[in-house]
Amino acid sequence: MKETLIKVLRREKEHPEQEKEIKGKTIGLIIDGPNILRKEFGIKLEDIVEALQRIGKIRVAKVVLNQYAPQGLIEAVVNQGLEPVIVAGDTDVRIAIEAMELIYNSDVEIIALATRDADFLPIIQEAKRRGKETIVIGTDPGFSVALQNAADYVIKMERRKAE
């Protein structure tokens, strides 16, 4: 049984016919490791990947981690088929660079960003200006409302209550 409950919310609910259009599109995923992959959240990489695979095909998937990331986490990233990006110091600048590369990648139709951080709002806005659909993946507490409202889709990961 999964530890995480996944809620996918569509921002433009007045157009249900568009729901089918997203299936099969290519996705570029960037995960803000220090922000999302914390033990207290209980979010697993496979849950994020599974949620996105319901929507489309993941073409590029990177997990940005700082130099303090445990070896077990790095191995888990690799075992999920994702690319670990290890950064000395703050990860935000590297996430922005990786996101801009995806925005300008013509093989990627959807930009998925797993973070709770409102600092990445300009990335979502730029992706939309460039004609990309956007998905934000996050969890409470601290999941930026501005980020959720700016994205086309929101995937809210929640820890299941013990029964």
Side-chain angles (χ1 to χ4, degrees):
M1 183 175 266
K2 293 209 178 286
E3 286 183 16
T4 307
L5 174 67
I6 301 167
K7 291 184 181 176
V8 180
L9 307 171
R10 172 95 169 131
R11 287 281 152 217
E12 300 167 12
K13 293 178 182 156
E14 63 274 4
H15 300 292
E17 68 279 0
Q18 290 179 347
E19 198 67 33
K20 293 179 183 172
E21 291 178 18
I22 195 168
K23 288 278 188 193
K25 289 190 176 182
T26 56
I27 300 171
L29 168 64
I30 298 174
I31 299 174
D32 181 356
N35 189 280
I36 286 290
L37 302 177
R38 295 183 178 180
K39 287 182 183 177
E40 65 260 30
F41 296 146
I43 295 175
K44 296 182 178 179
L45 289 168
E46 56 262 27
D47 293 335
I48 295 172
V49 169
E50 180 184 321
L52 288 175
Q53 286 175 336
R54 294 179 190 173
I55 295 169
K57 181 175 173 126
I58 300 172
R59 294 303 247 162
V60 179
K62 298 182 179 186
V63 180
V64 180
L65 302 165
N66 61 29
Q67 74 269 25
Y68 303 112
Q71 188 62 34
L73 177 57
I74 297 168
E75 288 174 13
V77 169
V78 172
N79 289 339
Q80 282 297 312
L82 310 176
E83 179 183 341
V85 178
I86 312 300
V87 177
D90 191 25
T91 57
D92 288 7
V93 173
R94 185 58 184 259
I95 290 168
I97 291 168
E98 296 291 344
M100 291 306 291
E101 286 180 3
L102 291 179
I103 289 169
Y104 287 96
N105 182 337
S106 61
D107 294 330
V108 173
E109 297 169 292
I110 302 170
I111 305 296
L113 188 58
T115 187
R116 300 172 307 128
D117 194 342
D119 291 346
F120 299 113
L121 183 59
I123 290 172
I124 297 299
Q125 293 166 336
E126 181 64 17
K128 290 174 80 170
R129 264 194 294 277
R130 298 287 172 188
K132 305 287 185 176
E133 289 184 84
T134 58
I135 300 171
V136 292
I137 304 157
T139 189
D140 284 321
F143 192 5
S144 165
V145 174
L147 203 59
Q148 293 179 58
N149 288 335
D152 295 310
Y153 299 88
V154 176
I155 299 176
K156 197 168 211 176
M157 310 293 280
E158 295 179 351
R159 190 179 271 235
R160 283 191 192 261
K161 305 262 191 282
E163 295 179 16

